[in-house]
Short mmCIF file of all heavy atoms in Angstrom, two decimals:
data_model
loop_
_atom_site.label_atom_id
_atom_site.label_comp_id
_atom_site.label_asym_id
_atom_site.label_seq_id
_atom_site.Cartn_x
_atom_site.Cartn_y
_atom_site.Cartn_z
N CYS A 78 4.64 -4.91 6.22
CA CYS A 78 4.84 -3.61 5.56
C CYS A 78 3.50 -2.96 5.24
O CYS A 78 2.59 -3.63 4.72
CB CYS A 78 5.62 -3.77 4.26
SG CYS A 78 7.26 -4.48 4.44
N ALA A 79 3.39 -1.67 5.53
CA ALA A 79 2.22 -0.88 5.14
C ALA A 79 2.71 0.33 4.36
O ALA A 79 3.75 0.92 4.71
CB ALA A 79 1.41 -0.45 6.36
N ALA A 80 1.96 0.72 3.33
CA ALA A 80 2.40 1.80 2.45
C ALA A 80 1.24 2.71 2.09
O ALA A 80 0.07 2.33 2.20
CB ALA A 80 3.02 1.23 1.17
N VAL A 81 1.58 3.93 1.66
CA VAL A 81 0.61 4.86 1.07
C VAL A 81 1.16 5.36 -0.26
O VAL A 81 2.36 5.21 -0.55
CB VAL A 81 0.31 6.06 1.99
CG1 VAL A 81 -0.44 5.62 3.23
CG2 VAL A 81 1.59 6.81 2.35
N LEU A 82 0.29 5.97 -1.04
CA LEU A 82 0.70 6.58 -2.31
C LEU A 82 1.21 7.99 -2.05
O LEU A 82 0.59 8.78 -1.34
CB LEU A 82 -0.47 6.65 -3.29
CG LEU A 82 -1.07 5.33 -3.77
CD1 LEU A 82 -2.28 5.60 -4.65
CD2 LEU A 82 -0.04 4.48 -4.51
N GLY A 83 2.35 8.33 -2.67
CA GLY A 83 2.82 9.71 -2.72
C GLY A 83 2.43 10.34 -4.04
O GLY A 83 1.90 9.68 -4.94
N ASN A 84 2.72 11.62 -4.20
CA ASN A 84 2.32 12.30 -5.43
C ASN A 84 2.95 11.69 -6.67
O ASN A 84 2.31 11.59 -7.72
CB ASN A 84 2.64 13.80 -5.34
CG ASN A 84 4.10 14.08 -5.09
OD1 ASN A 84 4.64 13.68 -4.06
ND2 ASN A 84 4.74 14.79 -6.00
N ASN A 85 4.21 11.24 -6.56
CA ASN A 85 4.87 10.67 -7.74
C ASN A 85 4.48 9.23 -8.02
O ASN A 85 4.81 8.69 -9.07
CB ASN A 85 6.39 10.78 -7.59
CG ASN A 85 6.90 12.18 -7.86
OD1 ASN A 85 6.94 12.62 -9.00
ND2 ASN A 85 7.26 12.89 -6.80
N ASP A 86 3.77 8.61 -7.07
CA ASP A 86 3.22 7.27 -7.33
C ASP A 86 1.97 7.33 -8.18
O ASP A 86 1.49 6.29 -8.64
CB ASP A 86 2.85 6.58 -6.00
CG ASP A 86 4.05 6.28 -5.13
OD1 ASP A 86 5.11 5.91 -5.69
OD2 ASP A 86 3.94 6.40 -3.89
N CYS A 87 1.42 8.52 -8.38
CA CYS A 87 0.10 8.68 -8.99
C CYS A 87 0.20 8.94 -10.48
O CYS A 87 0.83 9.90 -10.92
CB CYS A 87 -0.66 9.81 -8.31
SG CYS A 87 -0.99 9.50 -6.56
N GLY A 88 -0.41 8.08 -11.24
CA GLY A 88 -0.46 8.22 -12.69
C GLY A 88 -1.37 7.15 -13.25
O GLY A 88 -1.51 6.07 -12.66
N ALA A 89 -2.01 7.41 -14.38
CA ALA A 89 -3.01 6.50 -14.93
C ALA A 89 -2.45 5.11 -15.18
O ALA A 89 -3.16 4.11 -15.05
CB ALA A 89 -3.58 7.08 -16.23
N ARG A 90 -1.17 5.03 -15.53
CA ARG A 90 -0.56 3.72 -15.78
C ARG A 90 0.20 3.18 -14.58
O ARG A 90 0.10 2.01 -14.24
CB ARG A 90 0.39 3.82 -16.99
CG ARG A 90 -0.32 4.09 -18.30
CD ARG A 90 0.66 4.08 -19.47
NE ARG A 90 -0.01 4.31 -20.74
CZ ARG A 90 0.61 4.36 -21.92
NH1 ARG A 90 1.93 4.19 -21.98
NH2 ARG A 90 -0.08 4.57 -23.02
N ARG A 91 0.97 4.05 -13.92
CA ARG A 91 1.85 3.50 -12.90
C ARG A 91 1.15 3.17 -11.58
O ARG A 91 1.59 2.28 -10.86
CB ARG A 91 3.06 4.40 -12.66
CG ARG A 91 2.82 5.83 -12.25
CD ARG A 91 4.17 6.54 -12.12
NE ARG A 91 4.04 7.96 -11.76
CZ ARG A 91 3.98 8.94 -12.63
NH1 ARG A 91 4.02 8.66 -13.93
NH2 ARG A 91 3.90 10.20 -12.22
N THR A 92 0.06 3.87 -11.25
CA THR A 92 -0.62 3.55 -10.00
C THR A 92 -1.21 2.14 -10.00
O THR A 92 -1.00 1.38 -9.04
CB THR A 92 -1.70 4.59 -9.66
OG1 THR A 92 -1.08 5.88 -9.59
CG2 THR A 92 -2.36 4.28 -8.33
N PRO A 93 -1.96 1.72 -11.05
CA PRO A 93 -2.44 0.33 -11.05
C PRO A 93 -1.30 -0.69 -10.99
O PRO A 93 -1.42 -1.74 -10.33
CB PRO A 93 -3.21 0.22 -12.37
CG PRO A 93 -3.63 1.62 -12.67
CD PRO A 93 -2.50 2.48 -12.19
N ALA A 94 -0.18 -0.40 -11.67
CA ALA A 94 0.95 -1.32 -11.63
C ALA A 94 1.55 -1.39 -10.23
O ALA A 94 1.96 -2.46 -9.76
CB ALA A 94 2.02 -0.88 -12.64
N LEU A 95 1.60 -0.24 -9.52
CA LEU A 95 2.13 -0.23 -8.17
C LEU A 95 1.21 -0.99 -7.22
O LEU A 95 1.67 -1.76 -6.36
CB LEU A 95 2.33 1.21 -7.69
CG LEU A 95 2.98 1.40 -6.32
CD1 LEU A 95 4.38 0.79 -6.29
CD2 LEU A 95 3.05 2.88 -5.95
N ARG A 96 -0.09 -0.78 -7.35
CA ARG A 96 -1.04 -1.55 -6.53
C ARG A 96 -0.83 -3.05 -6.71
O ARG A 96 -0.81 -3.81 -5.74
CB ARG A 96 -2.47 -1.17 -6.92
CG ARG A 96 -2.93 0.20 -6.46
CD ARG A 96 -4.34 0.46 -6.96
NE ARG A 96 -4.84 1.77 -6.52
CZ ARG A 96 -5.52 2.61 -7.30
NH1 ARG A 96 -5.78 2.29 -8.55
NH2 ARG A 96 -5.94 3.77 -6.81
N ALA A 97 -0.70 -3.46 -7.96
CA ALA A 97 -0.54 -4.89 -8.25
C ALA A 97 0.77 -5.42 -7.68
O ALA A 97 0.82 -6.53 -7.12
CB ALA A 97 -0.60 -5.12 -9.75
N MET A 98 1.85 -4.64 -7.80
CA MET A 98 3.14 -5.09 -7.28
C MET A 98 3.12 -5.20 -5.77
O MET A 98 3.62 -6.17 -5.19
CB MET A 98 4.24 -4.13 -7.75
CG MET A 98 5.66 -4.61 -7.46
SD MET A 98 6.26 -4.15 -5.81
CE MET A 98 6.38 -2.36 -5.98
N TYR A 99 2.53 -4.23 -5.09
CA TYR A 99 2.42 -4.30 -3.64
C TYR A 99 1.61 -5.53 -3.23
O TYR A 99 1.98 -6.26 -2.30
CB TYR A 99 1.75 -3.04 -3.08
CG TYR A 99 2.67 -1.85 -2.90
CD1 TYR A 99 2.16 -0.55 -2.94
CD2 TYR A 99 4.02 -2.00 -2.63
CE1 TYR A 99 2.98 0.56 -2.74
CE2 TYR A 99 4.85 -0.90 -2.44
CZ TYR A 99 4.31 0.37 -2.49
OH TYR A 99 5.13 1.46 -2.29
N ALA A 100 0.48 -5.77 -3.89
CA ALA A 100 -0.36 -6.92 -3.55
C ALA A 100 0.40 -8.23 -3.75
O ALA A 100 0.31 -9.15 -2.93
CB ALA A 100 -1.63 -6.91 -4.40
N GLU A 101 1.18 -8.31 -4.82
CA GLU A 101 1.95 -9.52 -5.12
C GLU A 101 3.00 -9.79 -4.05
O GLU A 101 3.30 -10.94 -3.73
CB GLU A 101 2.62 -9.36 -6.49
CG GLU A 101 3.56 -10.51 -6.86
CD GLU A 101 4.40 -10.19 -8.08
OE1 GLU A 101 4.08 -9.23 -8.81
OE2 GLU A 101 5.40 -10.91 -8.30
N THR A 102 3.58 -8.73 -3.49
CA THR A 102 4.71 -8.91 -2.58
C THR A 102 4.32 -8.82 -1.11
O THR A 102 5.19 -8.87 -0.23
CB THR A 102 5.80 -7.86 -2.88
OG1 THR A 102 5.24 -6.54 -2.77
CG2 THR A 102 6.36 -8.04 -4.29
N GLY A 103 3.03 -8.69 -0.82
CA GLY A 103 2.58 -8.70 0.57
C GLY A 103 2.63 -7.37 1.27
O GLY A 103 2.46 -7.31 2.50
N VAL A 104 2.83 -6.28 0.55
CA VAL A 104 2.81 -4.94 1.14
C VAL A 104 1.37 -4.46 1.20
O VAL A 104 0.65 -4.50 0.19
CB VAL A 104 3.67 -3.95 0.33
CG1 VAL A 104 3.55 -2.54 0.89
CG2 VAL A 104 5.12 -4.40 0.32
N ILE A 105 0.91 -4.01 2.36
CA ILE A 105 -0.46 -3.52 2.53
C ILE A 105 -0.50 -2.06 2.08
O ILE A 105 0.11 -1.19 2.70
CB ILE A 105 -0.90 -3.62 3.99
CG1 ILE A 105 -0.85 -5.07 4.48
CG2 ILE A 105 -2.30 -3.04 4.18
CD1 ILE A 105 -1.01 -5.22 5.98
N LEU A 106 -1.21 -1.79 0.99
CA LEU A 106 -1.37 -0.43 0.50
C LEU A 106 -2.65 0.15 1.10
O LEU A 106 -3.75 -0.37 0.86
CB LEU A 106 -1.43 -0.39 -1.02
CG LEU A 106 -1.64 0.99 -1.65
CD1 LEU A 106 -0.52 1.95 -1.28
CD2 LEU A 106 -1.77 0.87 -3.17
N LEU A 107 -2.51 1.22 1.86
CA LEU A 107 -3.64 1.86 2.53
C LEU A 107 -4.05 3.09 1.75
O LEU A 107 -3.28 4.05 1.64
CB LEU A 107 -3.26 2.24 3.96
CG LEU A 107 -2.84 1.06 4.86
CD1 LEU A 107 -2.34 1.56 6.20
CD2 LEU A 107 -4.00 0.09 5.05
N GLU A 108 -5.26 3.07 1.19
CA GLU A 108 -5.76 4.18 0.40
C GLU A 108 -6.99 4.75 1.11
O GLU A 108 -8.12 4.32 0.88
CB GLU A 108 -6.09 3.73 -1.01
CG GLU A 108 -4.86 3.22 -1.77
CD GLU A 108 -5.16 2.93 -3.22
OE1 GLU A 108 -5.34 3.89 -3.99
OE2 GLU A 108 -5.21 1.73 -3.57
N ASN A 109 -6.75 5.71 2.00
CA ASN A 109 -7.80 6.30 2.82
C ASN A 109 -8.54 5.21 3.60
O ASN A 109 -9.77 5.13 3.57
CB ASN A 109 -8.78 7.11 1.98
CG ASN A 109 -8.12 8.31 1.35
OD1 ASN A 109 -7.06 8.73 1.78
ND2 ASN A 109 -8.74 8.85 0.32
N GLU A 110 -7.78 4.40 4.25
CA GLU A 110 -8.38 3.32 5.03
C GLU A 110 -7.55 3.02 6.26
O GLU A 110 -6.39 3.44 6.37
CB GLU A 110 -8.55 2.06 4.18
CG GLU A 110 -7.25 1.51 3.62
CD GLU A 110 -7.48 0.38 2.63
OE1 GLU A 110 -8.12 -0.62 3.01
OE2 GLU A 110 -7.03 0.50 1.47
N THR A 111 -8.16 2.30 7.17
CA THR A 111 -7.53 1.95 8.43
C THR A 111 -7.46 0.43 8.55
O THR A 111 -8.44 -0.26 8.26
CB THR A 111 -8.33 2.52 9.61
OG1 THR A 111 -8.35 3.95 9.52
CG2 THR A 111 -7.72 2.12 10.94
N ARG A 112 -6.31 -0.06 8.96
CA ARG A 112 -6.14 -1.49 9.23
C ARG A 112 -5.62 -1.66 10.65
O ARG A 112 -4.83 -0.86 11.13
CB ARG A 112 -5.14 -2.12 8.26
CG ARG A 112 -5.57 -2.13 6.81
CD ARG A 112 -6.58 -3.21 6.51
NE ARG A 112 -6.87 -3.24 5.09
CZ ARG A 112 -6.24 -4.02 4.21
NH1 ARG A 112 -5.27 -4.81 4.62
NH2 ARG A 112 -6.56 -3.97 2.93
N MET A 113 -6.04 -2.74 11.27
CA MET A 113 -5.51 -3.10 12.57
C MET A 113 -4.40 -4.12 12.34
O MET A 113 -4.63 -5.19 11.77
CB MET A 113 -6.60 -3.69 13.46
CG MET A 113 -6.28 -3.62 14.93
SD MET A 113 -6.43 -1.94 15.57
CE MET A 113 -8.21 -1.76 15.65
N LEU A 114 -3.18 -3.78 12.74
CA LEU A 114 -2.06 -4.69 12.61
C LEU A 114 -1.71 -5.27 13.98
O LEU A 114 -1.86 -4.59 15.00
CB LEU A 114 -0.84 -3.96 12.04
CG LEU A 114 -0.99 -3.30 10.68
CD1 LEU A 114 0.35 -2.71 10.24
CD2 LEU A 114 -1.52 -4.27 9.64
N SER A 115 -1.25 -6.50 13.97
CA SER A 115 -0.79 -7.12 15.21
C SER A 115 0.73 -6.97 15.27
O SER A 115 1.45 -7.56 14.47
CB SER A 115 -1.18 -8.60 15.26
OG SER A 115 -0.70 -9.21 16.45
N ILE A 116 1.20 -6.18 16.22
CA ILE A 116 2.62 -5.93 16.41
C ILE A 116 2.99 -6.45 17.80
O ILE A 116 2.43 -5.99 18.80
CB ILE A 116 2.96 -4.43 16.29
CG1 ILE A 116 2.44 -3.86 14.96
CG2 ILE A 116 4.46 -4.21 16.46
CD1 ILE A 116 3.07 -4.44 13.73
N ARG A 117 3.88 -7.41 17.84
CA ARG A 117 4.25 -8.04 19.10
C ARG A 117 3.01 -8.54 19.85
O ARG A 117 2.88 -8.38 21.06
CB ARG A 117 5.06 -7.08 19.99
CG ARG A 117 6.41 -6.70 19.42
CD ARG A 117 7.21 -5.91 20.44
NE ARG A 117 8.58 -5.72 19.99
CZ ARG A 117 9.54 -5.19 20.75
NH1 ARG A 117 9.27 -4.81 21.98
NH2 ARG A 117 10.76 -5.05 20.30
N GLN A 118 2.09 -9.10 19.07
CA GLN A 118 0.84 -9.66 19.62
C GLN A 118 0.00 -8.60 20.33
O GLN A 118 -0.76 -8.91 21.26
CB GLN A 118 1.14 -10.83 20.56
CG GLN A 118 1.84 -11.99 19.86
CD GLN A 118 2.11 -13.15 20.80
OE1 GLN A 118 2.57 -12.97 21.92
NE2 GLN A 118 1.79 -14.35 20.34
N SER A 119 0.12 -7.37 19.89
CA SER A 119 -0.67 -6.27 20.43
C SER A 119 -1.20 -5.44 19.27
O SER A 119 -0.50 -5.24 18.27
CB SER A 119 0.21 -5.41 21.36
OG SER A 119 -0.57 -4.50 22.08
#
C-alpha cells in the first residue's frame, strides 16, 4: 500500500498520528517523494 495526504488529513494533531498509524501498519506514506516498488517482480 502507498498513500498520500489529502487536505482533510492535515492538522497539527492528526497528521502526526496518521503518519504513525501508517508506519505501524506497513502503509508507505509518500510526502513529496518517489519510491520504487516491485510489482510482479518488475
